[in-house]
Amino acid sequence: MAVKRKKRPARTLAQGRPPTVQKPRSISRKATRGLINAIHQLEKKKAQAAAKGDKVAEAAANSEIAALGGIQKYQQASLQGQRNDRGGDSSRVLMEWLRTKLSASGLTADGSVRMLEVGALSTTNECSRSGFFHMERIDLNSQGDGILQQDFMKRPLPTHDAHTFDIISLSLVLNFVPDAKGRGDMLLRTLDFLKKPHSTDADDTFPCLFLVLPASCVTNSRYMDESLFERIMTALGYTKTHSKITQKLVYYLWRRTLQIPAKAPTFKKAELRSGSTRNNFSILFRGSMT
């Protein structure tokens, strides 16, 4: 009498892979936040040491960053933050704001709107999938095809209007700049790459800047609050059209309404909130008082 063999469920390719090629384990939400914050702080220490010419302290900060996994580990943590179960892709908020206006204006999903995404981590986010945008993506440490490895602050300036953009995205980029004047320089530089405003009509959407920051940059900083941030952006020629704040993030859409200012705005760095739990996020411009 033949012995019946017990059927085993079919094994997938993933189950048959050796341990060396299995997907890396997911980082917990708490560990993700801790890693990102730690690297932010070390980048600030490195910038401060470089500004003072302290090569020993700068090398020590670099070693600590490398020990944490460097920019690659930081980007892995950031990518995990874009997963739906971690709050998702920040460009979904942008598309919630723009989709109706894009359709109402008669624009179709033909890639006619030029968008520069600074600090791009993925080529499959909501904006990329929408079809409305001709995407140019850059990042300091490209994670794959479709993302140019480039420093926004060293990107060659446009030589023709056709090389400028209808929209720039700075999602969790400005806060990674380690010093206040560097953040001011980055905001000023967005004006070089955006198309010039052709109308002051409140219904116009472009040119515009999509900006995402940790909420604590404006809700828990000694030197920055919502009112001051809006005054800074207004001085640069931007008008706020949309904003949204969550427990962790603040999202803004700023429409460019004025030409490049004749000179950089000046804002004094002054304490707006006291307390030992505050952070030191601030924005200054060359020539600003410190």
Side-chain angles (χ1 to χ4, degrees), residues 112-163:
S112 59
V113 180
R114 285 177 52 79
M115 180 174 182
L116 175 63
E117 185 179 7
V118 181
L121 295 172
S122 168
T123 60
T124 59
N125 62 11
E126 190 76 13
C127 284
S128 298
R129 294 196 308 269
S130 73
F132 282 107
F133 303 102
H134 169 80
M135 302 288 299
E136 289 196 28
R137 309 175 188 88
I138 63 173
D139 189 66
L140 286 171
N141 188 51
S142 172
Q143 291 296 287
D145 294 338
I147 302 174
L148 175 66
Q149 186 155 311
Q150 185 181 65
D151 183 343
F152 175 61
M153 300 306 292
K154 296 178 181 178
R155 182 182 174 93
L157 294 175
T159 56
H160 191 277
D161 286 347
H163 302 148

Side-chain angles (χ1 to χ4, degrees), residues 74-83 121-122 143:
Y74 172 86
Q75 288 182 315
Q76 182 188 344
S78 298
L79 278 167
Q80 287 208 191
Q82 287 194 1
R83 282 177 12 190
L121 295 172
S122 168
Q143 291 296 287

Side-chain angles (χ1 to χ4, degrees), residues 3-289:
V3 178
K4 289 186 177 180
R5 292 188 177 181
K6 192 174 182 179
K7 284 189 176 182
R8 295 181 181 178
R11 298 182 72 190
T12 65
L13 286 173
Q15 287 173 315
R17 286 175 177 165
T20 53
V21 294
Q22 286 181 351
K23 291 182 180 180
R25 294 181 63 185
S26 174
I27 309 172
S28 72
R29 187 173 301 181
K30 183 177 180 180
T32 297
R33 287 199 303 268
L35 176 63
I36 289 173
N37 289 338
I39 292 180
H40 277 182
Q41 292 304 315
L42 287 168
E43 286 287 348
K44 289 176 185 177
K45 283 175 62 177
K46 185 175 80 170
Q48 289 166 358
K52 294 176 182 176
D54 189 339
K55 299 294 184 183
V56 174
E58 186 179 358
N62 267 327
S63 295
E64 289 186 70
I65 291 169
L68 290 173
I71 193 67
Q72 291 84 1
K73 201 69 176 180
Y74 172 86
Q75 288 182 315
Q76 182 188 344
S78 298
L79 278 167
Q80 287 208 191
Q82 287 194 1
R83 282 177 12 190
N84 288 335
D85 62 340
R86 298 285 181 87
D89 163 24
S90 64
S91 76
R92 289 190 305 170
V93 175
L94 176 62
M95 287 309 300
E96 287 172 9
W97 291 339
L98 290 185
R99 198 179 298 277
T100 301
K101 283 197 170 186
L102 287 169
S103 299
S105 65
L107 286 171
T108 58
D110 60 357
S112 59
V113 180
R114 285 177 52 79
M115 180 174 182
L116 175 63
E117 185 179 7
V118 181
L121 295 172
S122 168
T123 60
T124 59
N125 62 11
E126 190 76 13
C127 284
S128 298
R129 294 196 308 269
S130 73
F132 282 107
F133 303 102
H134 169 80
M135 302 288 299
E136 289 196 28
R137 309 175 188 88
I138 63 173
D139 189 66
L140 286 171
N141 188 51
S142 172
Q143 291 296 287
D145 294 338
I147 302 174
L148 175 66
Q149 186 155 311
Q150 185 181 65
D151 183 343
F152 175 61
M153 300 306 292
K154 296 178 181 178
R155 182 182 174 93
L157 294 175
T159 56
H160 191 277
D161 286 347
H163 302 148
T164 57
F165 295 89
D166 298 289
I167 179 169
I168 294 175
S169 170
L170 295 179
S171 179
L172 298 176
V173 171
L174 189 67
N175 55 292
F176 194 70
V177 178
D179 64 274
K181 286 185 178 177
R183 296 178 202 121
D185 289 344
M186 179 171 278
L187 288 176
L188 274 171
R189 195 167 177 82
T190 62
L191 300 174
D192 291 325
F193 288 90
L194 278 175
K195 293 183 183 298
K196 291 180 173 59
H198 53 78
S199 168
T200 57
D201 190 332
D203 290 331
D204 282 355
T205 302
F206 305 109
C208 61
L209 172 67
F210 179 57
L211 187 61
V212 184
L213 292 167
S216 60
C217 289
V218 293
T219 62
N220 195 42
S221 170
R222 289 183 181 86
Y223 308 112
M224 183 64 61
D225 60 14
E226 187 85 12
S227 175
L228 175 57
F229 189 56
E230 186 158 356
R231 293 204 306 275
I232 288 172
M233 296 301 288
T234 299
L236 292 175
Y238 284 109
T239 298
K240 184 170 68 175
T241 61
H242 293 84
S243 65
K244 174 182 177 178
I245 189 165
T246 67
Q247 184 179 2
K248 296 296 180 184
L249 299 174
V250 59
Y251 305 79
Y252 297 105
L253 188 63
W254 303 91
R255 182 166 58 88
R256 183 182 181 186
T257 54
L258 298 175
Q259 303 291 341
I260 296 176
K263 62 178 182 177
T266 299
F267 290 91
K268 185 177 180 180
K269 185 177 179 179
E271 187 173 271
L272 303 175
R273 303 182 182 98
S274 60
S276 60
T277 60
R278 306 297 184 186
N279 66 66
N280 294 321
F281 181 84
S282 59
I283 297 171
L284 294 173
F285 298 90
R286 302 294 168 185
S288 295
M289 297 176 64

